[in-house]
PDB file of all heavy atoms in Angstrom:
ATOM      1  N   ASN B  31      39.482 124.956 110.954  1.00 96.00           N
ATOM      2  CA  ASN B  31      38.812 123.785 111.529  1.00 96.00           C
ATOM      3  C   ASN B  31      38.509 122.753 110.440  1.00 96.00           C
ATOM      4  O   ASN B  31      37.834 121.759 110.686  1.00 96.00           O
ATOM      5  CB  ASN B  31      37.536 124.174 112.284  1.00 96.00           C
ATOM      6  CG  ASN B  31      36.507 124.818 111.376  1.00 96.00           C
ATOM      7  OD1 ASN B  31      36.670 124.861 110.142  1.00 96.00           O
ATOM      8  ND2 ASN B  31      35.429 125.328 111.957  1.00 96.00           N
ATOM      9  N   GLU B  32      38.990 123.005 109.260  1.00 96.00           N
ATOM     10  CA  GLU B  32      38.808 122.149 108.080  1.00 96.00           C
ATOM     11  C   GLU B  32      37.343 122.020 107.678  1.00 96.00           C
ATOM     12  O   GLU B  32      36.996 121.192 106.826  1.00 96.00           O
ATOM     13  CB  GLU B  32      39.475 120.781 108.276  1.00 96.00           C
ATOM     14  CG  GLU B  32      40.989 120.901 108.353  1.00 96.00           C
ATOM     15  CD  GLU B  32      41.743 119.658 107.928  1.00 96.00           C
ATOM     16  OE1 GLU B  32      41.080 118.639 107.642  1.00 96.00           O
ATOM     17  OE2 GLU B  32      42.981 119.707 107.877  1.00 96.00           O
ATOM     18  N   MET B  33      36.476 122.834 108.273  1.00 96.00           N
ATOM     19  CA  MET B  33      35.080 122.869 107.814  1.00 96.00           C
ATOM     20  C   MET B  33      34.827 124.133 107.006  1.00 96.00           C
ATOM     21  O   MET B  33      33.784 124.259 106.370  1.00 96.00           O
ATOM     22  CB  MET B  33      34.118 122.799 109.004  1.00 96.00           C
ATOM     23  CG  MET B  33      34.208 121.473 109.754  1.00 96.00           C
ATOM     24  SD  MET B  33      32.813 121.187 110.872  1.00 96.00           S
ATOM     25  CE  MET B  33      33.076 122.467 112.077  1.00 96.00           C
ATOM     26  N   SER B  34      35.771 125.087 107.083  1.00 97.00           N
ATOM     27  CA  SER B  34      35.670 126.288 106.265  1.00 97.00           C
ATOM     28  C   SER B  34      37.081 126.716 105.895  1.00 97.00           C
ATOM     29  O   SER B  34      38.062 126.117 106.351  1.00 97.00           O
ATOM     30  CB  SER B  34      34.950 127.417 107.019  1.00 97.00           C
ATOM     31  OG  SER B  34      35.858 128.139 107.812  1.00 97.00           O
ATOM     32  N   SER B  35      37.167 127.739 105.078  1.00 97.00           N
ATOM     33  CA  SER B  35      38.494 128.196 104.640  1.00 97.00           C
ATOM     34  C   SER B  35      39.049 129.285 105.548  1.00 97.00           C
ATOM     35  O   SER B  35      40.121 129.826 105.279  1.00 97.00           O
ATOM     36  CB  SER B  35      38.414 128.708 103.200  1.00 97.00           C
ATOM     37  OG  SER B  35      37.457 129.758 103.122  1.00 97.00           O
ATOM     38  N   LYS B  36      38.340 129.623 106.629  1.00 97.00           N
ATOM     39  CA  LYS B  36      38.793 130.688 107.510  1.00 97.00           C
ATOM     40  C   LYS B  36      39.887 130.198 108.462  1.00 97.00           C
ATOM     41  O   LYS B  36      39.694 129.200 109.166  1.00 97.00           O
ATOM     42  CB  LYS B  36      37.627 131.213 108.360  1.00 97.00           C
ATOM     43  CG  LYS B  36      36.741 132.185 107.636  1.00 97.00           C
ATOM     44  CD  LYS B  36      35.711 132.753 108.595  1.00 97.00           C
ATOM     45  CE  LYS B  36      34.750 133.671 107.839  1.00 97.00           C
ATOM     46  NZ  LYS B  36      33.569 134.001 108.602  1.00 97.00           N
ATOM     47  N   MET B  37      40.981 130.937 108.477  1.00 97.00           N
ATOM     48  CA  MET B  37      42.012 130.647 109.478  1.00 97.00           C
ATOM     49  C   MET B  37      41.449 130.982 110.856  1.00 97.00           C
ATOM     50  O   MET B  37      40.725 131.965 111.011  1.00 97.00           O
ATOM     51  CB  MET B  37      43.254 131.494 109.204  1.00 97.00           C
ATOM     52  CG  MET B  37      44.392 131.236 110.147  1.00 97.00           C
ATOM     53  SD  MET B  37      45.802 132.306 109.772  1.00 97.00           S
ATOM     54  CE  MET B  37      46.378 132.666 111.428  1.00 97.00           C
ATOM     55  N   LEU B  38      41.769 130.144 111.824  1.00 95.00           N
ATOM     56  CA  LEU B  38      41.252 130.338 113.174  1.00 95.00           C
ATOM     57  C   LEU B  38      42.387 130.476 114.169  1.00 95.00           C
ATOM     58  O   LEU B  38      43.485 129.955 113.967  1.00 95.00           O
ATOM     59  CB  LEU B  38      40.358 129.160 113.576  1.00 95.00           C
ATOM     60  CG  LEU B  38      39.094 128.971 112.739  1.00 95.00           C
ATOM     61  CD1 LEU B  38      38.417 127.647 113.090  1.00 95.00           C
ATOM     62  CD2 LEU B  38      38.122 130.125 112.967  1.00 95.00           C
ATOM     63  N   TYR B  39      42.107 131.191 115.245  1.00 91.00           N
ATOM     64  CA  TYR B  39      43.077 131.373 116.323  1.00 91.00           C
ATOM     65  C   TYR B  39      42.461 130.828 117.609  1.00 91.00           C
ATOM     66  O   TYR B  39      41.320 131.130 117.931  1.00 91.00           O
ATOM     67  CB  TYR B  39      43.396 132.871 116.466  1.00 91.00           C
ATOM     68  CG  TYR B  39      44.424 133.164 117.531  1.00 91.00           C
ATOM     69  CD1 TYR B  39      45.753 132.826 117.329  1.00 91.00           C
ATOM     70  CD2 TYR B  39      44.056 133.764 118.726  1.00 91.00           C
ATOM     71  CE1 TYR B  39      46.701 133.087 118.299  1.00 91.00           C
ATOM     72  CE2 TYR B  39      45.007 134.031 119.702  1.00 91.00           C
ATOM     73  CZ  TYR B  39      46.332 133.686 119.486  1.00 91.00           C
ATOM     74  OH  TYR B  39      47.262 133.936 120.451  1.00 91.00           O
ATOM     75  N   GLY B  40      43.205 130.029 118.307  1.00 91.00           N
ATOM     76  CA  GLY B  40      42.689 129.445 119.549  1.00 91.00           C
ATOM     77  C   GLY B  40      42.636 127.930 119.434  1.00 91.00           C
ATOM     78  O   GLY B  40      41.988 127.391 118.531  1.00 91.00           O
ATOM     79  N   ALA B  41      43.323 127.265 120.365  1.00 92.00           N
ATOM     80  CA  ALA B  41      43.451 125.809 120.288  1.00 92.00           C
ATOM     81  C   ALA B  41      42.104 125.106 120.235  1.00 92.00           C
ATOM     82  O   ALA B  41      41.934 124.092 119.554  1.00 92.00           O
ATOM     83  CB  ALA B  41      44.245 125.318 121.493  1.00 92.00           C
ATOM     84  N   GLN B  42      41.126 125.664 120.948  1.00 93.00           N
ATOM     85  CA  GLN B  42      39.845 124.966 121.080  1.00 93.00           C
ATOM     86  C   GLN B  42      38.977 125.053 119.834  1.00 93.00           C
ATOM     87  O   GLN B  42      37.939 124.400 119.764  1.00 93.00           O
ATOM     88  CB  GLN B  42      39.088 125.460 122.316  1.00 93.00           C
ATOM     89  CG  GLN B  42      38.791 126.940 122.346  1.00 93.00           C
ATOM     90  CD  GLN B  42      39.927 127.770 122.915  1.00 93.00           C
ATOM     91  OE1 GLN B  42      41.069 127.637 122.515  1.00 93.00           O
ATOM     92  NE2 GLN B  42      39.612 128.661 123.831  1.00 93.00           N
ATOM     93  N   VAL B  43      39.390 125.846 118.855  1.00 94.00           N
ATOM     94  CA  VAL B  43      38.616 125.944 117.617  1.00 94.00           C
ATOM     95  C   VAL B  43      39.421 125.497 116.388  1.00 94.00           C
ATOM     96  O   VAL B  43      38.850 125.232 115.338  1.00 94.00           O
ATOM     97  CB  VAL B  43      38.082 127.380 117.387  1.00 94.00           C
ATOM     98  CG1 VAL B  43      36.997 127.711 118.400  1.00 94.00           C
ATOM     99  CG2 VAL B  43      39.189 128.415 117.446  1.00 94.00           C
ATOM    100  N   LYS B  44      40.727 125.395 116.527  1.00 94.00           N
ATOM    101  CA  LYS B  44      41.543 124.936 115.407  1.00 94.00           C
ATOM    102  C   LYS B  44      41.495 123.409 115.312  1.00 94.00           C
ATOM    103  O   LYS B  44      41.284 122.730 116.311  1.00 94.00           O
ATOM    104  CB  LYS B  44      43.013 125.341 115.596  1.00 94.00           C
ATOM    105  CG  LYS B  44      43.276 126.830 115.511  1.00 94.00           C
ATOM    106  CD  LYS B  44      44.768 127.125 115.509  1.00 94.00           C
ATOM    107  CE  LYS B  44      45.473 126.676 116.763  1.00 94.00           C
ATOM    108  NZ  LYS B  44      46.899 127.065 116.814  1.00 94.00           N
ATOM    109  N   THR B  45      41.705 122.903 114.105  1.00 95.00           N
ATOM    110  CA  THR B  45      41.764 121.457 113.944  1.00 95.00           C
ATOM    111  C   THR B  45      43.105 121.004 113.368  1.00 95.00           C
ATOM    112  O   THR B  45      43.687 120.036 113.838  1.00 95.00           O
ATOM    113  CB  THR B  45      40.634 120.970 113.030  1.00 95.00           C
ATOM    114  OG1 THR B  45      39.388 121.266 113.675  1.00 95.00           O
ATOM    115  CG2 THR B  45      40.721 119.479 112.771  1.00 95.00           C
ATOM    116  N   ALA B  46      43.594 121.699 112.348  1.00 93.00           N
ATOM    117  CA  ALA B  46      44.844 121.249 111.729  1.00 93.00           C
ATOM    118  C   ALA B  46      45.469 122.381 110.941  1.00 93.00           C
ATOM    119  O   ALA B  46      44.775 123.260 110.428  1.00 93.00           O
ATOM    120  CB  ALA B  46      44.586 120.056 110.811  1.00 93.00           C
ATOM    121  N   ASN B  47      46.782 122.318 110.834  1.00 95.00           N
ATOM    122  CA  ASN B  47      47.482 123.296 110.012  1.00 95.00           C
ATOM    123  C   ASN B  47      47.131 123.066 108.544  1.00 95.00           C
ATOM    124  O   ASN B  47      47.076 121.925 108.076  1.00 95.00           O
ATOM    125  CB  ASN B  47      48.998 123.157 110.175  1.00 95.00           C
ATOM    126  CG  ASN B  47      49.459 123.485 111.577  1.00 95.00           C
ATOM    127  OD1 ASN B  47      48.727 124.092 112.343  1.00 95.00           O
ATOM    128  ND2 ASN B  47      50.669 123.080 111.911  1.00 95.00           N
ATOM    129  N   ILE B  48      46.902 124.151 107.820  1.00 96.00           N
ATOM    130  CA  ILE B  48      46.715 124.031 106.374  1.00 96.00           C
ATOM    131  C   ILE B  48      47.885 124.665 105.623  1.00 96.00           C
ATOM    132  O   ILE B  48      48.066 124.443 104.434  1.00 96.00           O
ATOM    133  CB  ILE B  48      45.395 124.702 105.924  1.00 96.00           C
ATOM    134  CG1 ILE B  48      45.365 126.175 106.360  1.00 96.00           C
ATOM    135  CG2 ILE B  48      44.188 123.937 106.460  1.00 96.00           C
ATOM    136  CD1 ILE B  48      44.446 127.001 105.517  1.00 96.00           C
ATOM    137  N   ARG B  49      48.666 125.451 106.322  1.00 97.00           N
ATOM    138  CA  ARG B  49      49.847 126.086 105.734  1.00 97.00           C
ATOM    139  C   ARG B  49      50.829 126.340 106.869  1.00 97.00           C
ATOM    140  O   ARG B  49      50.410 126.637 107.990  1.00 97.00           O
ATOM    141  CB  ARG B  49      49.440 127.401 105.061  1.00 97.00           C
ATOM    142  CG  ARG B  49      50.562 128.078 104.293  1.00 97.00           C
ATOM    143  CD  ARG B  49      50.076 129.358 103.622  1.00 97.00           C
ATOM    144  NE  ARG B  49      51.154 129.967 102.857  1.00 97.00           N
ATOM    145  CZ  ARG B  49      51.415 131.262 102.830  1.00 97.00           C
ATOM    146  NH1 ARG B  49      50.653 132.115 103.502  1.00 97.00           N
ATOM    147  NH2 ARG B  49      52.418 131.740 102.128  1.00 97.00           N
ATOM    148  N   ASP B  50      52.110 126.216 106.545  1.00 97.00           N
ATOM    149  CA  ASP B  50      53.096 126.437 107.601  1.00 97.00           C
ATOM    150  C   ASP B  50      54.272 127.211 107.031  1.00 97.00           C
ATOM    151  O   ASP B  50      55.069 126.676 106.270  1.00 97.00           O
ATOM    152  CB  ASP B  50      53.559 125.090 108.170  1.00 97.00           C
ATOM    153  CG  ASP B  50      54.451 125.259 109.397  1.00 97.00           C
ATOM    154  OD1 ASP B  50      54.737 126.417 109.760  1.00 97.00           O
ATOM    155  OD2 ASP B  50      54.855 124.236 109.973  1.00 97.00           O
ATOM    156  N   THR B  51      54.353 128.479 107.373  1.00 98.00           N
ATOM    157  CA  THR B  51      55.456 129.323 106.896  1.00 98.00           C
ATOM    158  C   THR B  51      56.484 129.554 108.004  1.00 98.00           C
ATOM    159  O   THR B  51      57.333 130.433 107.882  1.00 98.00           O
ATOM    160  CB  THR B  51      54.921 130.688 106.404  1.00 98.00           C
ATOM    161  OG1 THR B  51      54.250 131.353 107.483  1.00 98.00           O
ATOM    162  CG2 THR B  51      53.968 130.528 105.232  1.00 98.00           C
ATOM    163  N   SER B  52      56.389 128.802 109.076  1.00 98.00           N
ATOM    164  CA  SER B  52      57.271 129.030 110.216  1.00 98.00           C
ATOM    165  C   SER B  52      58.726 128.715 109.852  1.00 98.00           C
ATOM    166  O   SER B  52      59.014 128.108 108.824  1.00 98.00           O
ATOM    167  CB  SER B  52      56.819 128.188 111.412  1.00 98.00           C
ATOM    168  OG  SER B  52      56.813 126.827 111.056  1.00 98.00           O
ATOM    169  N   ILE B  53      59.623 129.129 110.718  1.00 98.00           N
ATOM    170  CA  ILE B  53      61.056 128.910 110.497  1.00 98.00           C
ATOM    171  C   ILE B  53      61.397 127.508 110.984  1.00 98.00           C
ATOM    172  O   ILE B  53      61.164 127.169 112.153  1.00 98.00           O
ATOM    173  CB  ILE B  53      61.871 129.986 111.236  1.00 98.00           C
ATOM    174  CG1 ILE B  53      61.518 131.356 110.656  1.00 98.00           C
ATOM    175  CG2 ILE B  53      63.361 129.709 111.115  1.00 98.00           C
ATOM    176  CD1 ILE B  53      61.983 132.519 111.499  1.00 98.00           C
TER     177      ILE B  53
END
Side-chain angles (χ1 to χ4, degrees):
Chain B
N31 62 8
E32 293 206 355
M33 295 195 294
S34 86
S35 58
K36 280 186 184 166
M37 182 181 142
L38 297 171
Y39 182 72
Q42 58 274 50
V43 290
K44 292 188 298 185
T45 297
N47 295 344
I48 56 156
R49 186 179 182 222
D50 187 357
T51 60
S52 58
I53 298 166

